[in-house]
Amino acid sequence: MASSSSSGLTFKLHPLVIVNISDHYTRVKSQLSLPPSLTSTSSAATSNNNNNNSNGGENNQNPPPRVYGCVIGVQRGRTVEIFNSFELIYDPSTRSLDRSFLEKKQELYKKVFPHFYVLGWYSTGSDAQESDMHFHKALMDINESPLYVLLNPAINPAQKDLPVTIYESELHVIDGVPQLIFVRSSYLIETVEAERISVDHVAHLKPSGGSAATQLAAQLTGIHSAIKMLNSRIRVLHQYLVGMQKGDIPCESSVLRQVSSLLRRLPAIESEKFQDDFLMEYNDTLLITYLAMFTNCSSTMNELVDKFNTTYDRHSRRGGRTAFI
Amino acid sequence: MNLVEGLLTQIQGLSSTASDVLSLQNVLKQADESLHAESTRLLPFLDQLDPSKHSLGYLYFLEACTAGPVTTESASSFVLVIARFISSCVAEQIRLAPDKFISVCKRFKDQVLLLEEPLRGVAPMLTAVRKLQSSTEHLTTLHPEFLLLCLLAKCYKTGLSILEEDIFEVDQPRDLYLYCYYGGMICIGQKCFRKALELLHNVVTAPMSTINAIAVEAYKKYILVSLIHHGQLSTSLPKYASGVAQRNLKSLCLSYIELANSYNNGKIADLETYVQANMEKFGSDNNLGLVKQVVSSIYKRNIQRLTQTYLTLSLQDIANTVQLNSPKEAEMHVLQMIQDGEIYATINQKDGMVRFLEDPELYKTCEMIEHIDLSIQRLMTLSKKLTVMDELISCDPLYLGKAGRERQRFDFDDFDSVPQRFNI
């Protein structure tokens, strides 16, 4: 299904489309995993909710839902620029597309963006499927050669590229039967200034994985791993020497000489003044950490106390917000 | 009697595995009424049961036996029996019927007090506490009983060992009030005023819906200990104290607040006249000893104030400022304070000059590192617990209802995440 396209068109994808698709998918997925008993009125809310959330987690074992929508943009010459997208209701089992909704949306978008027209459609999943061809053909009456933008929602931390692929359709002759198949095309990401700001915002909201966020942390991690390795190597040497002393390992003077010269190089500084200064600096760092933790803990405690007072104190001071003039 | 013997055989048979014990518990619950009916004749049957193996059955029998009124003769025999039971019973079986265990131990305490030998009850009660609590962070109803026995028997050190633990779970609020109040008194007895202040502070600021006598008494002692330890009393209670306490406590402890005011003025003569005037009031609250300590602490407070003004001072001047009788007394006071670590100074005996020094701690030692590290660890665990509690209370519908209701919307731009009405 995925060979490279030969149409020679250049595709430019705006990040708004990617954000829209991922938002659509996330919304649908989280709405699906909402446990049904949250709609009932239960008074012992929190513990029940905690239990139900664990049940809701099991619902995610079902295959994740696929979402569908249209992408719109401009085609100028050989460049196709995809600016925006909107959602559609499509049921793959019955292959029913809500035509009236699609037309209404097209009209609305035409009023605001007169130059844009429907360029194709999008969906989520790991790979293009046979059933997608039906939707593709259904859209062919709006656009003769629609595009298919596929977003892979599975999070793969090792992957460097965006999990977005754009497919075009081409008529190929397979086994003597002319068939429309999907072919992959390459694309570029194009941004406007406003989009750059929003992408930056989104990037900072996302929780960064395990990698160190700042340079300082990276450097300290490097030093830490280096020291850990040094420690483990010295431990190996120590075991070796102990074994040699016990007589399990035959004595080798050359190795012993090397070990002794290494050991003499190890302690870099060992003086009274160094100890003093080192301990003082260590203590200072610890005190700062302690202060930070203290502040953090006090602020949590403060919020907790406020909430507690709001909940349980019958005649608490009116805590409404003051006028904002 | 047949019923009792039948029960005995069942207990002996069904006490080996956990599931058997559960079924035994159901049997015993149903037979409880009839056991109580036969309470006077149950004592000889206890010999047929082994407390270390048949703890649950023994407990039910014991509870029924001791249900009647306590007399001095029966008290001495029961005390032995209960003490032996507490030391040999199995904790898992006991925790299946905690209220029975608590009532047995309470009666044990009453009997020990009736015999006027509280010391006999201290060790068994400590074992009982340890067996009943599910973790060291759990406060049971037996904790304050144990502390009461320690107070009456004057063995404060054993009480202190229990007080070292941090409490995170409480069964009943009354347990917490009593526990902290008695704990405060034990710490005062051991002169650990810092910990006493902490415990009494807990009673005074604990959530309470109506004012209770324990809090009032605790507040009186709190004022006195605060004067001894800190030399001042903060006039308002912190904002996490319940509204009830904030409004009512001060009016109920007026004479103590007056005492604190006259203490702040620093004039010893005024303080002493005030104390003399209100002697019976303080005496009726059993606080005379503390009040006397407050009076003697005012000298210390005045000397400490001097360290903030002077670098060196002669003993004669100290005696004059602090209204002591002679430089010799001043020297004694200063020496005592240096020994207790309350001030840093050197006394030059040749010319009778005292030189006040700075805190010599340089924060360079390994012990200090360990100390800070431990504190950081404790803070981290506390912080985690607090975050969990914060999240729980944020989801509490009671809180959300009140938070949503109290808001006032002013214009449409004031977007708020809490809706006005919250229907779940």
Side-chain angles (χ1 to χ4, degrees), chain B residues 55-272:
Chain B
S55 305
L56 192 58
Y58 202 99
L59 177 63
Y60 270 81
F61 267 72
L62 199 56
E63 205 261 330
C65 281
T66 53
V70 170
T71 61
T72 336
E73 321 85 44
S74 63
S76 36
S77 59
F78 273 134
V79 159
L80 279 173
V81 169
I82 300 181
R84 216 175 297 139
F85 168 63
I86 295 180
S87 55
S88 50
C89 67
V90 171
E92 290 81 22
Q93 294 197 18
I94 293 301
R95 287 192 200 138
L96 290 175
D99 35 338
K100 295 232 175 263
F101 189 63
I102 290 175
S103 61
V104 164
C105 291
K106 278 198 176 153
R107 283 183 210 136
F108 173 67
K109 176 203 89 176
D110 293 333
Q111 288 159 358
V112 158
L113 287 179
L114 191 63
L115 292 174
E116 290 178 11
E117 295 170 0
L119 195 55
R120 280 173 75 176
V122 170
M125 197 60 105
L126 180 58
T127 342
V129 162
R130 289 270 175 247
K131 287 198 179 159
L132 186 60
Q133 60 176 180
S134 48
S135 72
T136 49
E137 299 171 355
H138 181 212
L139 184 75
T140 62
T141 322
L142 290 182
H143 277 82
E145 311 286 331
F146 167 68
L147 287 180
L148 178 64
L149 280 178
C150 286
L151 269 175
L152 290 172
K154 296 213 195 320
C155 48
Y156 298 138
K157 287 226 177 67
T158 349
L160 267 185
S161 64
I162 280 262
L163 286 169
E164 293 296 323
E165 298 159 359
D166 294 322
I167 302 286
F168 285 109
E169 279 176 54
V170 176
D171 279 341
Q172 287 269 339
R174 188 167 174 268
D175 298 338
L176 181 69
Y177 302 147
L178 278 178
Y179 172 79
C180 292
Y181 180 60
Y182 292 146
M185 285 169 70
I186 289 187
C187 291
I188 294 175
Q190 288 287 95
K191 300 238 187 294
C192 308
F193 288 119
R194 195 189 59 82
K195 194 149 178 74
L197 203 60
E198 205 181 288
L199 286 166
L200 291 170
H201 187 82
N202 278 341
V203 186
V204 166
T205 55
M208 53 181 93
S209 45
T210 56
I211 196 78
N212 59 39
I214 307 175
V216 174
E217 295 302 313
Y219 190 56
K220 293 177 182 163
K221 293 205 163 60
Y222 175 75
I223 295 177
L224 294 174
V225 175
S226 165
L227 288 176
I228 296 176
H229 187 66
H230 282 153
Q232 59 194 14
L233 174 72
S234 60
T235 43
S236 62
L237 287 175
K239 77 170 176 182
Y240 48 85
S242 64
V244 167
Q246 280 178 356
R247 285 189 295 271
N248 297 334
L249 272 181
K250 285 218 188 112
S251 46
L252 292 167
C253 308
L254 274 174
S255 43
Y256 291 82
I257 308 248
E258 292 287 323
L259 181 70
N261 288 337
S262 71
Y263 185 98
N264 274 333
N265 293 337
K267 301 214 185 56
I268 300 181
D270 292 347
L271 188 66
E272 288 189 342

Side-chain angles (χ1 to χ4, degrees), chain A residues 299-316:
Chain A
S299 111
T300 324
M301 176 101 88
N302 190 31
E303 284 181 19
L304 180 63
V305 166
D306 278 338
K307 290 191 178 133
F308 193 81
N309 278 344
T310 330
T311 322
Y312 292 109
D313 233 358
R314 241 168 285 149
H315 310 290
S316 65

Side-chain angles (χ1 to χ4, degrees), chain A residues 233-252:
Chain A
R233 299 265 165 92
I234 294 185
R235 233 184 267 274
V236 167
L237 275 179
H238 179 247
Q239 268 184 334
Y240 177 68
L241 286 174
V242 163
M244 207 183 269
Q245 190 179 46
K246 271 199 270 184
D248 302 333
I249 308 173
C251 231
E252 260 182 80

Side-chain angles (χ1 to χ4, degrees), chain A residues 9 16 46 53 128 133 161 168 214 219 235 270 283 310 315-316:
Chain A
L9 289 173
L16 177 61
T46 47
N53 279 340
M133 194 45 87
D161 307 330
E168 279 190 291
T214 64
Q219 187 195 16
R235 233 184 267 274
E270 191 74 43
N283 263 321
T310 330
H315 310 290
S316 65

Side-chain angles (χ1 to χ4, degrees), chain A residues 14-78:
Chain A
H14 279 249
L16 177 61
V17 178
I18 306 178
V19 173
N20 274 347
I21 303 177
S22 98
D23 176 60
H24 186 195
Y25 172 75
T26 319
R27 252 185 297 124
V28 170
K29 185 159 160 222
S30 62
Q31 276 168 4
L32 266 192
S33 59
L34 236 157
S37 60
L38 256 190
T39 55
S40 67
T41 53
S42 84
S43 52
T46 47
S47 53
N48 279 353
N49 281 348
N50 284 340
N51 285 339
N52 291 333
N53 279 340
S54 58
N55 286 339
E58 289 159 35
N59 288 342
N60 291 337
Q61 306 284 342
N62 304 334
R66 295 194 70 186
V67 299
Y68 298 90
C70 265
V71 294
I72 60 180
V74 179
Q75 179 162 8
R76 296 190 191 99
R78 305 301 288 169

